[in-house]
Amino acid sequence: MKYLLRFQTILLLILALQSFAQTQQKITWPSLADSPWPVARGDVQGTGRSEYVGPKNPEVIWRKTYQYGVFASMVMDEEKNLLFGTRAVNSEANENYFYKVDSTGNQLWRFTTNFFNANSCAQAVSKNGTIYFGSQSGSFNAIDTEGNLLWTYQSSASFFNLNIILDREGNIYVGNADSLFCFKVDGEVKFKLAIPTIGYGLAFSPSGETIYVPSHYYDEAMGQFFYNLSAINTDGSIDWKLSLNRIVRQTPLIDNNGNIYIKESEQLLCIEPNGEIKWSYKIGGRDGGITMDTQGNIFLVGQNYDNGGVLSLDYHGNYRWYYEFDDYLPYWPHYEDVYHGLVCDADGSIYFGSTWGNYFYALNNDGDLMWRVALDSLYADSCPVISNDGTIYIGTHLGANNSNVENNLFAIKDKPNSVEDEETPTKFALYQNYPNPFNPTTTIKFSVPNVGTTHELSLRVYDILGREVQTLLHKPMQPGSYEVEFDESNLTSGVYFYVLETGGKRLSKKMLLVK
């Protein structure tokens, strides 16, 4: 028995260390990169992860009209206000707009740019609240929290980038049709590189010392396009450049080990920090970004025959599941598609919307459809925002030349009492703790089925060596859904296991304490 326990302990240690190598932790950043919004505002690794849980039993709680449409991903500031630019041109006046609205969709202020072009370059917000956004007019702007202009830079080329990122010193990086720019916080140009990055997103290495820039250019003499992924240092020097067949319009995803994930035409590439290809997976050519959950599982839009769908791989590039869109559209292009970055919430659910106005979707981590909401032909080309109360905010538009858009900004939340009113669980279940990683508290949820009896149940926490840390509960439990808070400020950082036991059944999951 002693040797069996020792073997089990060693096995647990090996499994935990293997899992720890794949666990994707939140990397703090001196901007809003460490806040809930995953993609456009400052997710400098492009993970698409939110630290909050989105709605599971949806109800549209309000709809608002911002007639020029929402594009390139909204931003949520620390007061839970939404910030976004426009998609449509203003053909009636030589101006366009950038908005700040509250969490109920009501306008707080509107900033006006002196061109009719759309303000469709995804925005970013610094820790002090300064807002940065670009315009198709070629202007790049910095405004304060009240909507006052701090500085502007006028370029001869359009800013139409998928995101803007800030480094650890607060310098701002953005690409336009012919260059990569680095601005200092006062608007001075730190450097400008002739790398056309229009339509692509930028991402940092975990250390913040390297920027990954997808780009393409057309060689008139050869009559063809060339595509590259470049690793650029923060001083503007180029570390390496990788030639690719074609880059899908997206933001690269960078994991905690520094691996880079990018879609090249009909395959997903995992690229090591030195520029060597680690592995590839054939996916079928589709636009749309990539997201990764905290366990390292990967989610992206792929293709199966004529229809598109969402593909999931594990951290090593092995197939997990494929969710195929089952709706044939009566208009061109006849299949469903997703152009924006996917968003993964704290429990691993995936959220995304249709480029062609079909549905907004929510999948669980196993690839099952949780729900979908009709978009009424409005295009969802922007990443959704998940707030700390579980509300998800969705912005839509009707293209660059249609400014008459109604009910194009809306919010979805769980139906009131949806958790309390759900049917009694039919099986024992133990869910991933949230938040994870945590410091120092986290919540553990579990469910007890109705099998006509009360259950003697225990929930205990163990360290990586299998030693019991704490008994969270040990008592008879009625059927239902429960949650328990684990608060252990005296523990050291590391991997822990929580185990639910009852009637010969044993369920366990791991969690990570980071101090």
Side-chain angles (χ1 to χ4, degrees):
M1 184 66 178
K2 178 176 66 176
Y3 295 106
L4 176 60
L5 288 174
R6 182 176 297 174
F7 173 76
Q8 290 175 333
T9 299
I10 294 172
L11 181 60
L12 273 175
L13 177 60
I14 293 171
L15 290 174
L17 290 174
Q18 289 177 338
S19 299
F20 181 76
Q22 301 167 24
T23 301
Q24 302 303 306
Q25 305 171 43
K26 184 176 71 172
I27 300 174
T28 57
W29 214 261
S31 68
L32 290 184
D34 58 350
S35 58
W37 177 228
V39 177
R41 175 171 58 176
D43 175 15
V44 290
Q45 275 76 48
T47 65
R49 284 201 305 271
S50 172
E51 63 184 279
Y52 297 136
V53 175
K56 303 297 185 282
N57 192 9
E59 178 181 50
V60 177
I61 57 174
W62 55 257
R63 294 182 183 269
K64 300 289 181 176
T65 297
Y66 289 88
Q67 68 174 128
Y68 292 95
V70 181
F71 190 66
S73 305
M74 289 179 288
V75 162
M76 180 179 287
D77 67 17
E78 291 190 323
E79 286 73 45
K80 313 306 177 189
N81 299 310
L82 300 169
L83 299 152
F84 56 88
T86 52
R87 175 64 176 108
V89 300
N90 186 349
S91 57
E92 299 177 356
N94 192 37
E95 62 183 31
N96 219 308
Y97 312 111
F98 186 92
Y99 293 96
K100 180 178 182 177
V101 308
D102 65 20
S103 59
T104 62
N106 295 315
Q107 179 179 312
L108 298 175
W109 51 252
R110 186 180 75 177
F111 179 84
T112 302
T113 51
N114 298 321
F115 301 92
F116 65 85
N117 309 79
N119 297 314
S120 54
C121 178
Q123 47 281 328
V125 183
S126 71
K127 205 67 173 176
N128 68 5
T130 302
I131 304 157
Y132 303 100
F133 72 94
S135 170
Q136 289 187 39
S137 66
S139 65
F140 188 80
N141 307 286
I143 57 179
D144 66 18
T145 57
E146 302 302 318
N148 302 306
L149 182 66
L150 298 175
W151 54 262
T152 188
Y153 176 91
Q154 187 62 46
S155 170
S156 59
S158 167
F159 285 97
F160 193 75
N161 221 51
L162 288 178
N163 72 339
I164 298 166
I165 55 175
L166 279 61
D167 68 16
R168 294 188 184 276
E169 285 71 48
N171 299 310
I172 308 104
Y173 299 80
V174 63
N176 72 355
D178 59 23
S179 301
L180 172 70
F181 288 86
C182 176
F183 295 100
K184 296 182 179 180
V185 293
D186 60 0
E188 178 186 348
V189 177
K190 182 179 178 181
F191 66 77
K192 176 184 177 182
L193 293 179
I195 297 179
T197 60
I198 186 169
Y200 297 125
L202 314 174
F204 269 116
S205 64
S207 68
E209 298 174 353
T210 306
I211 316 152
Y212 298 104
V213 182
S215 63
H216 74 269
Y217 68 94
Y218 182 74
D219 188 307
E220 294 186 359
M222 299 186 67
Q224 69 180 87
F225 281 97
F226 290 88
Y227 300 87
N228 300 296
L229 176 67
S230 301
I232 300 173
N233 301 313
T234 52
D235 62 1
S237 61
I238 298 178
D239 190 11
W240 52 259
K241 182 184 292 186
L242 178 65
S243 296
L244 301 172
N245 293 325
R246 176 181 176 266
I247 301 176
V248 176
R249 186 172 66 96
Q250 64 168 99
T251 299
L253 186 154
I254 318 299
D255 70 22
N256 284 359
N257 295 320
N259 298 309
I260 307 125
Y261 301 81
I262 194 164
K263 293 161 72 174
E264 179 202 35
S265 186
E266 296 188 354
Q267 61 180 344
L268 173 68
L269 301 180
C270 176
I271 303 167
E272 296 179 336
N274 62 3
E276 299 290 329
I277 295 177
K278 187 175 183 179
W279 54 260
S280 63
Y281 191 97
K282 185 175 177 58
I283 57 173
R286 287 295 172 103
D287 279 343
I290 311 165
T291 188
M292 178 180 284
D293 67 18
T294 56
Q295 304 307 309
N297 296 312
I298 303 161
F299 311 87
L300 66 153
V301 178
Q303 183 172 346
N304 181 13
Y305 303 105
D306 293 329
N307 258 0
V310 174
L311 171 72
S312 179
L313 309 174
D314 69 15
Y315 186 70
H316 305 289
N318 301 308
Y319 176 88
R320 293 183 69 227
W321 50 258
Y322 182 76
Y323 172 82
E324 184 172 359
F325 302 130
D326 58 1
D327 291 279
Y328 178 84
L329 306 182
Y331 44 83
W332 184 91
H334 301 305
Y335 51 76
E336 184 66 283
D337 218 337
V338 179
Y339 282 177
H340 67 74
L342 307 183
V343 170
C344 181
D345 75 1
D347 70 0
S349 300
I350 313 301
Y351 300 86
F352 55 93
S354 167
T355 292
W356 307 112
N358 197 14
Y359 292 102
F360 187 89
Y361 298 83
L363 307 180
N364 67 21
N365 198 262
D366 295 321
D368 302 315
L369 178 68
M370 295 190 301
W371 54 264
R372 63 183 187 180
V373 172
L375 290 173
D376 300 326
S377 299
L378 296 176
Y379 307 155
D381 272 346
S382 299
C383 303
V385 182
I386 301 174
S387 187
N388 61 343
D389 65 355
T391 304
I392 190 166
Y393 300 91
I394 301 162
T396 61
H397 66 90
L398 272 176
N401 298 311
N402 191 338
S403 62
N404 297 314
V405 188
E406 295 184 354
N407 297 321
N408 61 310
L409 177 65
F410 61 99
I412 294 175
K413 195 173 183 179
D414 274 315
K415 292 179 181 178
N417 302 319
S418 61
V419 174
E420 292 80 357
D421 293 343
E422 66 184 9
E423 294 182 358
T424 302
T426 58
K427 64 179 181 178
F428 284 103
L430 180 64
Y431 303 99
Q432 188 64 51
N433 64 301
Y434 170 76
N436 187 42
F438 68 98
N439 179 24
T441 63
T442 189
T443 299
I444 298 171
K445 296 183 179 181
F446 62 92
S447 60
V448 179
N450 186 359
V451 291
T453 184
T454 299
H455 304 270
E456 186 75 22
L457 183 143
S458 69
L459 180 63
R460 295 183 173 92
V461 178
Y462 298 87
D463 66 14
I464 197 170
L465 298 178
R467 298 173 298 197
E468 182 177 332
V469 171
Q470 185 175 329
T471 297
L472 298 180
L473 59 86
H474 187 189
K475 62 180 182 180
M477 303 289 290
Q478 296 289 336
S481 297
Y482 299 91
E483 59 182 59
V484 176
E485 184 177 87
F486 175 52
D487 185 348
E488 188 50 74
S489 303
N490 297 325
L491 291 177
T492 59
S493 297
V495 175
Y496 294 87
F497 298 89
Y498 54 102
V499 178
L500 181 71
E501 291 185 280
T502 180
K505 296 182 182 297
R506 187 176 188 272
L507 302 173
S508 65
K509 287 187 177 293
K510 63 181 179 295
M511 56 185 171
L512 178 65
L513 173 61
V514 178
K515 292 187 175 181

